[in-house]
Amino acid sequence: MTPKQVLEMAKEKKIKVVDVRFMDFPGVWQHFTVPIGEVEEASFDEGFGFDGSSIRGWQPINASDMMVVPDPSTAKIDPFFKEPTLVLIGNIVDPITREAYTRDPRNIAIKAEAYLKSTGIGDTAYFGPEAEFFIFDDVRFESSTNSAFYMVDSVEGIWNSGRDECPNLGYKTRHKEGYVPVPPTDKYQDMRTEMLLTLEELGITVERQHHEVATAGQAEIDMRFKSLVEMGDQLVWFKYVLKNVATRHNCSVTFMPKPLFGDNGSGMHTHVSLWKQGKPLFAGDKYAGISQDALYGIGGILHHCKALCALTNPTTNSYKRLVPGFEAPVNLAYSSRNRSAAIRIPMYSMSPKAKRLEFRTPDPSCNGYLAFSAILMAILDGIEKKMDPGDPLDKDIYSLPPEELANVPTAPGSLSESLKSLEEDCEFLFKGDVFTKDVIEKWIAYKTENEIHPVTLRPHPHEFFLYYDI
């Protein structure tokens, strides 16, 4: 869509205001709204000014002025605002040099796609994330000098089997038994369908929705694969839609990887394939029907996985899910059909077009633009350097004896560990100027100062249970 077509659509739809949106550094959508009269064709070149020092991880106060330039191809009508509102996603530029801002996550994704083409390996990278989430009926938390607690609740939660609900009708989801039951055990079918239909109305193709394994409303809605930048855009719309539909129902959606103790966490299994001139590059005659390049790509992910986790699993809470011996795929191995491996080769279809890698370690707390870009860079590095992934591991990794499991490397056990790995292994991200040194340095500093240190310094509520009477 061109700027002229966007303005024609705005007139046709009787748009009154335009919402300009962009992604901050950690991965939360930001916005401001201007009257439709303030938007003209020149706005798509000149952009709009804003305070970059008030955005997390961006500019210092002495260099705060930044510009956001709307991308006309992203135009959509917001499904939630009272007044007819056109939404445009923008790219961040320096107001003086007009250069693309290095810490703009969407700019990084654009550069990753350009780098793929420059290598000659392929021209398109498709991504299909399966972002799991929880729907809660009540959420409360506090963290202060002398107290800390959290409490989440759901009508589905098995802990409510004895609650007086006037009446309590039962049908509570037992721990780890929530995968695809029908109502009345599944309490959120209609809400998830409303989410699905809202996404479809926005032009986002959805393949399915269903209840997930955990109790208390864990769910999954799968989008059809798209190219890297387009999927980055869709993932922010996805989170926005799900949160706002849930709010309509007086519920709350969270993409925290591990909001519940003792049940499954939320992952974001990410399907990836490379194509060139309309042909799939990951189909071949090697293991599980994949190509040699696909194997090298697997080698790249496994080789760089510890560093990747700093971007694909970027919260301290991420590592409550990535614990050896539980449901998360922390073991750095690959296999066909095997969901206990970090990389799975899906076998639902033998069509060459369906051949892809499924990287199962990431979680939905990530910034999609950054995570997808980093995964692509690891795959390309593996192909360029012909990284051998070794033999597949076609066993239930969780049931391996200790002496055999000791030979299987694992994902990092903490955000600190993953950031250290990123610091030591980031050269592959610098190719093509996709990620820059200031991006990696700022990411590590921001996460350390704003997340790791605050969590480390605070007493944990369970420590009172363990140690108060010492």
Side-chain angles (χ1 to χ4, degrees):
M1 190 176 291
T2 65
K4 183 178 180 180
Q5 290 171 327
V6 170
L7 295 176
E8 289 173 350
M9 181 181 75
K11 185 176 181 180
E12 178 188 341
K13 300 291 185 181
K14 297 183 166 69
I15 295 297
K16 294 184 178 181
V17 293
V18 175
D19 211 46
V20 181
R21 300 184 185 177
F22 56 91
M23 178 74 86
D24 75 2
F25 203 41
V28 175
W29 233 5
Q30 312 293 317
H31 79 132
F32 58 82
T33 307
V34 299
I36 186 62
E38 291 294 309
V39 182
E40 52 191 30
E41 287 191 50
S43 302
F44 293 87
D45 291 320
E46 297 171 0
F48 298 91
F50 70 99
D51 177 9
S53 68
S54 295
I55 304 299
R56 299 181 298 171
W58 278 7
Q59 291 295 94
I61 192 90
N62 61 303
S64 59
D65 288 356
M66 297 296 286
M67 302 291 291
V68 55
V69 179
D71 181 342
S73 70
T74 66
K76 295 183 186 295
I77 309 299
D78 189 278
F80 302 105
F81 290 162
K82 178 181 177 181
E83 299 294 344
T85 302
L86 177 70
V87 176
L88 294 167
I89 298 175
N91 299 314
I92 311 302
V93 301
D94 185 283
I96 299 173
T97 66
R98 305 298 296 184
E99 292 181 354
Y101 186 43
T102 57
R103 295 184 204 165
D104 174 13
R106 194 169 192 265
N107 175 43
I108 291 171
I110 291 170
K111 289 190 292 183
E113 285 192 325
Y115 177 69
L116 167 63
K117 293 175 183 177
S118 75
T119 65
I121 293 172
D123 51 40
T124 308
Y126 286 118
F127 285 81
E130 300 175 359
E132 297 169 341
F133 57 97
F134 278 87
I135 303 169
F136 291 125
D137 305 323
D138 189 46
V139 183
R140 287 176 280 161
F141 52 85
E142 177 183 304
S143 180
S144 60
T145 298
N146 67 317
S147 67
F149 79 92
Y150 72 89
M151 183 175 292
V152 295
D153 205 0
S154 166
V155 68
E156 279 192 358
I158 188 61
W159 56 82
N160 285 324
S161 60
R163 183 171 67 175
D164 185 0
E165 296 180 345
C166 303
N168 188 326
L169 301 178
Y171 303 115
K172 307 299 184 186
T173 304
R174 288 181 289 271
H175 289 296
K176 300 183 183 294
E177 294 186 23
Y179 187 66
V180 298
V182 297
T185 300
D186 179 359
K187 303 291 194 296
Y188 299 107
Q189 165 67 16
D190 288 341
M191 191 191 304
R192 293 195 310 270
T193 294
E194 184 179 336
M195 294 168 175
L196 180 158
L197 293 176
T198 304
L199 290 167
E200 290 264 324
E201 288 168 5
L202 287 164
I204 297 172
T205 305
V206 177
E207 295 183 332
R208 72 180 70 188
Q209 61 91 346
H210 61 86
H211 203 291
E212 257 299 341
V213 173
T215 188
Q218 191 185 34
E220 179 176 315
I221 300 177
D222 297 336
M223 295 178 282
R224 178 71 58 84
F225 64 88
K226 291 289 182 181
S227 59
L228 195 160
V229 174
E230 190 173 3
M231 183 52 77
D233 291 343
Q234 285 196 177
L235 185 59
V236 284
W237 270 111
F238 179 87
K239 291 185 176 183
Y240 176 76
V241 166
L242 270 56
K243 289 176 181 178
N244 280 282
V245 169
T247 301
R248 280 177 176 172
H249 293 264
N250 288 323
C251 290
S252 179
V253 158
T254 182
F255 292 94
M256 269 183 74
K258 193 71 172 180
L260 297 180
F261 167 70
D263 212 331
N264 282 32
S266 293
M268 191 178 77
H269 308 149
T270 301
H271 298 254
V272 192
S273 63
L274 298 187
W275 290 60
K276 186 174 184 178
Q277 297 178 350
K279 295 181 180 180
L281 299 181
F282 281 179
D285 58 0
K286 303 298 182 182
Y287 172 80
I290 62 174
S291 66
Q292 184 63 62
D293 276 350
L295 285 171
Y296 290 146
I298 291 172
I301 293 178
L302 295 179
H303 179 79
H304 294 297
C305 189
K306 291 181 183 292
L308 285 178
C309 284
L311 297 163
T312 62
N313 304 78
T315 67
T316 58
N317 186 254
S318 297
Y319 299 88
K320 302 293 193 297
R321 169 181 170 260
L322 293 182
V323 178
F326 291 89
E327 83 281 356
V330 300
N331 299 288
L332 304 186
Y334 73 100
S335 178
S336 67
R337 305 176 67 181
N338 187 346
R339 295 172 189 269
S340 63
I343 297 177
R344 185 174 76 97
I345 301 160
M347 301 298 289
Y348 297 126
S349 171
M350 297 308 293
S351 167
K353 293 183 177 181
K355 281 302 171 186
R356 60 197 187 275
L357 313 180
E358 181 190 7
F359 184 25
R360 296 176 61 81
T361 306
D363 69 57
S365 69
C366 70
N367 182 330
Y369 296 115
L370 300 183
F372 301 151
S373 298
I375 292 169
L376 174 60
M377 296 303 287
I379 289 172
L380 293 176
D381 196 49
I383 294 172
E384 290 171 334
K385 294 179 179 175
K386 295 181 168 49
M387 293 182 179
D388 183 0
D391 295 328
L393 193 55
D394 292 324
K395 300 178 182 179
D396 180 357
I397 300 173
Y398 303 135
S399 300
L400 290 178
E403 59 274 14
E404 192 171 351
L405 189 60
N407 297 320
V408 181
T410 62
S414 68
L415 181 57
S416 296
E417 186 181 341
S418 68
L419 292 174
K420 180 65 174 175
S421 297
L422 178 62
E423 185 178 30
E424 296 172 349
D425 178 26
C426 55
E427 290 297 324
F428 73 101
L429 297 172
F430 296 155
K431 293 181 178 181
D433 202 39
V434 175
F435 288 80
T436 54
K437 188 176 181 182
D438 79 290
V439 168
I440 299 302
E441 289 178 346
K442 187 63 177 181
W443 185 261
I444 293 171
Y446 180 89
K447 288 288 175 178
T448 301
E449 294 166 11
N450 294 278
E451 299 178 29
I452 293 174
H453 287 170
V455 170
T456 302
L457 290 170
R458 282 166 169 77
H460 190 286
H462 197 65
E463 291 176 318
F464 283 82
F465 178 83
L466 294 172
Y467 308 128
Y468 188 77
D469 60 348
I470 287 178

